[in-house]
Amino acid sequence: MSINNHSISPSKIVRGDGAWIKSLDLIAKLCKRPLIIGRSSSTKRIRASFKKDLLLKGIQPISFELNHDCCELDVQNAYLISKNNNCDGIIAAGGGKVLDAGKLIADLLRLNCITVPLSASTCAGWTSLSNVYTPDGKFVKDVTLRSCPNLLIFDHKIVRAAPPRTLASGMADAVAKWYESSLTSSTSKDGFVQQAVQMARVLRDQLFLNGFQAFLDPLSNSWETVAEGCALTAGMIGGLGGAQCRTAAAHPIHNGFTQLEYTNKPLHGELVGFGLLVQLHLEEKNSHSQLPKQAKSQLIDFFSQLNLPISIESICLRNTTSDELRKACKFACNTNSDIHQLPFPITEKDLLESIQSFQSVHTNSKIKINNT
C-alpha cells in the first residue's frame, strides 16, 4: 500500500446551542490577538457580538472585512494586516468562502485557525482545503492546507438564523458526496476510502429522510441531523477518504459555471446540485443500467421541494447561448479536471449536450416554497 497523508478533522469541535460562548476558554488557549475575518453585511452584527465576547474574555481581536470571495487579493491584504498587528490566530466567521479564506490565511502565516460557520451551506469549516476564486467569483484552483482547523465552533442557535436557502444549498453539496465518490471510488481497495463512501451513502439517506422537514422547521430534530450532516459529516467524509475519494463531475461543472455571468448569482451548493443532475445524465447516456435515470428523477423531485435549481433557466444565467455554455464546458473539461475521473471518456461536446438537456425540466413535485 502506498503512503497516504490524511487531515481527517479539526483538533476540537464544539457543537450545539450556545457553542460559541462555551468555546471562549478554548479560544483563549489558542490565541490572544486574533484576526476576525468576515464578509457579509447581514452577519456583521454577529461578528460584532463575537468581538465583544472576546474582549470581555481578555482577548484583543482585530477585524478584517473581505471584499470578495476567497481570492488572492483579499488573502494578501489580510496576511499583511495580520502581520502588521502581530495577530496570533485567525477566526473565520461566515459562509464557505469566508471560511476558506480564513483557513488559507492561517495556513500561510502558520497560525492557529478557528472556524465558525454561520450557516450549514458547506463543510468548509471542517476541511483542510481552500477553494480560490478571482475577485469577481470565478473558480481558479483548490489549495491543500497543512491541516484542518484547530477549532470548529458550530453553534446551532446562530446557524438556525441563517436563511433556509443556505441549508438547501448545503444539502445539495452534501448529497453530491455519495453520487461522486460512489462513482469514482466504489472499487477502491483502500479501507478508509470504502468507509468514506459508505458514510456518504448514509448521509444521503439521512438527507432524503429529514431534509424537507429540516428546511421547513429549524427547531426540529431533523434540522439538527441535516445541518450537522451538511457542515460536519460531509467534511469528515472528505477527510477520511482523502484525495483518493475524488469528486466526479458535479464539482468540476460547478467550477465551469462560475466562469459565467449571472443576474442573481447562485450559491455554491446550488451549482453543485445542478452539476450533479448533469453528471447523472452523463451516466445515463454511458450506462446500460436504469439506476442513473432513477437517481436523477429522485433528485429532481428532492431539489424541487427545496427550491434548488433543476434547469438552465433556474440558475439565473445572464446569457444562455451555446457559445456561453461552451465556456463553462471548456473550463470543466480542462486537462487537470476531476471530471476525467469519470469511468468513461468525456468531451466538451458531451458535456454541452447534457447541460442543454436541462433547458427546462418537468418535476413531479407539487410543493412550492418561498426561496428565502
Side-chain angles (χ1 to χ4, degrees):
M1 178 180 175
S2 59
I3 300 297
N4 295 296
N5 293 317
H6 292 264
S7 293
I8 294 177
S9 75
S11 301
K12 287 187 181 294
I13 300 121
V14 183
R15 60 193 179 97
D17 285 323
W20 165 257
I21 293 298
K22 293 289 186 182
S23 299
L24 290 174
D25 287 336
L26 293 173
I27 295 173
K29 292 177 181 178
L30 291 172
C31 53
K32 299 299 181 184
R33 193 174 175 81
L35 186 70
I36 301 182
I37 293 173
R39 179 185 176 192
S40 171
S41 59
S42 64
T43 58
K44 194 169 186 176
R45 180 185 56 81
I46 298 173
R47 294 194 300 279
S49 72
F50 286 175
K51 189 171 183 178
K52 182 180 178 181
D53 293 334
L54 292 168
L55 286 168
L56 290 173
K57 199 69 180 176
I59 301 168
Q60 302 295 319
I62 306 294
S63 296
F64 178 76
E65 297 286 320
L66 297 169
N67 291 316
H68 310 285
D69 291 341
C70 179
C71 72
E72 291 186 358
L73 178 62
D74 272 345
V75 169
Q76 289 170 1
N77 289 337
Y79 179 96
L80 291 174
I81 289 172
S82 182
K83 292 275 284 186
N84 293 338
N85 286 277
N86 297 313
C87 293
D88 59 356
I90 303 293
I91 299 176
K97 294 180 175 69
V98 169
L99 302 174
D100 275 356
K103 292 184 297 181
L104 182 54
I105 295 160
D107 190 77
L108 291 170
L109 290 165
R110 303 206 174 197
L111 298 178
N112 286 330
C113 181
I114 298 158
T115 53
V116 191
L118 302 186
S119 75
S121 59
T122 75
C123 61
W126 183 287
T127 63
S128 61
L129 188 74
S130 288
N131 291 323
V132 178
Y133 299 81
T134 64
D136 58 349
K138 296 179 174 65
F139 178 85
V140 177
K141 62 182 178 180
D142 54 53
V143 179
T144 301
L145 309 174
R146 292 182 181 86
S147 65
C148 296
N150 301 86
L151 173 62
L152 188 163
I153 303 168
F154 193 73
D155 192 316
H156 288 187
K157 184 177 180 181
I158 294 170
V159 178
R160 273 196 194 95
R165 180 186 177 189
T166 61
L167 182 62
S169 180
M171 283 190 257
D173 194 33
V175 80
K177 294 288 185 189
W178 161 254
Y179 292 100
E180 291 190 288
S181 66
S182 63
L183 186 62
T184 62
S185 304
S186 60
T187 60
S188 172
K189 292 183 169 50
D190 186 313
F192 267 23
V193 174
Q194 292 171 355
Q195 291 150 26
V197 171
Q198 291 309 309
M199 285 177 64
R201 178 185 57 78
V202 173
L203 177 58
R204 177 206 62 181
D205 292 346
Q206 288 181 328
L207 295 177
F208 282 164
L209 182 64
N210 297 291
F212 183 55
Q213 180 63 27
F215 185 71
L216 290 178
D217 183 5
L219 297 177
S220 63
N221 289 333
S222 291
W223 182 90
E224 292 189 7
T225 299
V226 169
E228 290 198 337
C230 296
L232 308 182
T233 309
M236 189 190 307
I237 291 166
L240 189 65
Q244 294 182 65
C245 203
R246 293 182 182 275
T247 61
H251 277 81
I253 291 169
H254 157 276
N255 298 342
F257 269 106
T258 64
Q259 310 304 309
L260 308 182
E261 302 295 327
Y262 295 85
T263 57
N264 182 20
K265 191 172 182 181
L267 299 176
H268 170 82
E270 291 173 337
L271 283 181
V272 169
F274 180 68
L276 183 54
L277 295 177
V278 176
Q279 174 185 309
L280 288 166
H281 184 79
L282 288 166
E283 290 181 62
E284 183 184 345
K285 287 173 59 180
N286 288 274
S287 170
H288 298 297
S289 170
Q290 289 295 305
L291 291 178
K293 183 176 181 179
Q294 293 167 1
K296 184 178 69 174
S297 177
Q298 183 180 33
L299 272 181
I300 286 173
D301 283 344
F302 180 60
F303 286 174
S304 297
Q305 291 180 340
L306 305 174
N307 278 353
L308 288 163
I310 58 170
S311 66
I312 295 174
E313 63 186 11
S314 64
I315 59 174
C316 302
L317 278 170
R318 194 176 294 277
N319 183 342
T320 59
T321 65
S322 295
D323 286 345
E324 187 72 0
L325 293 174
R326 281 192 187 94
K327 295 178 187 177
C329 295
K330 182 176 182 180
F331 191 93
C333 293
N334 72 70
T335 304
N336 297 320
S337 172
D338 279 341
I339 202 168
H340 300 297
Q341 300 299 324
L342 289 169
F344 46 81
I346 177 78
T347 66
E348 293 175 29
K349 182 174 180 291
D350 296 330
L351 183 55
L352 178 62
E353 289 175 353
S354 290
I355 290 172
Q356 289 177 323
S357 73
F358 288 89
Q359 190 68 50
S360 182
V361 177
H362 170 73
T363 173
N364 292 323
S365 176
K366 300 295 190 295
I367 300 167
K368 196 68 181 172
I369 303 165
N370 182 32
N371 195 4
T372 59

